[in-house]
Amino acid sequence: ALPICAAFPKSLPEWFIKLFTKKGDTVLDPFLGSGTTCLVASSMKRNSIGFELEEKYFNICVESHLY
């Protein structure tokens, strides 16, 4: 896998998602990267939308069966 320079633990987006949303809400991730935020949102019963300009990072999500 390609290194993601802004990788972070799942607990970070989980904290913000719990604080600012409720089940069924939609989380926007404008810098998708490896998809951690969208993955956490899904596990917390939230919808998510992620944008990624770099095809190589988007492909990481696809290969991981995230989308």
Side-chain angles (χ1 to χ4, degrees):
L2 298 169
I4 306 281
C5 60
F8 47 82
K10 292 178 181 178
S11 60
L12 183 61
E14 182 179 32
W15 186 85
F16 284 102
I17 292 168
K18 279 183 186 176
L19 184 64
F20 293 111
T21 68
K22 60 184 183 290
K23 289 181 182 176
D25 283 352
T26 299
V27 174
L28 175 64
D29 184 358
F31 309 104
L32 185 63
S34 62
T36 302
T37 298
C38 290
L39 181 64
V40 171
S42 178
S43 73
M44 297 175 71
K45 308 292 189 227
R46 273 68 165 179
N47 302 304
S48 64
I49 300 170
F51 294 97
E52 181 53 62
L53 296 177
E54 295 292 331
E55 186 176 358
K56 61 186 176 184
Y57 295 130
F58 176 75
N59 288 336
I60 291 172
C61 295
V62 172
E63 291 169 6
S64 299
H65 304 282
L66 181 57
Y67 299 101

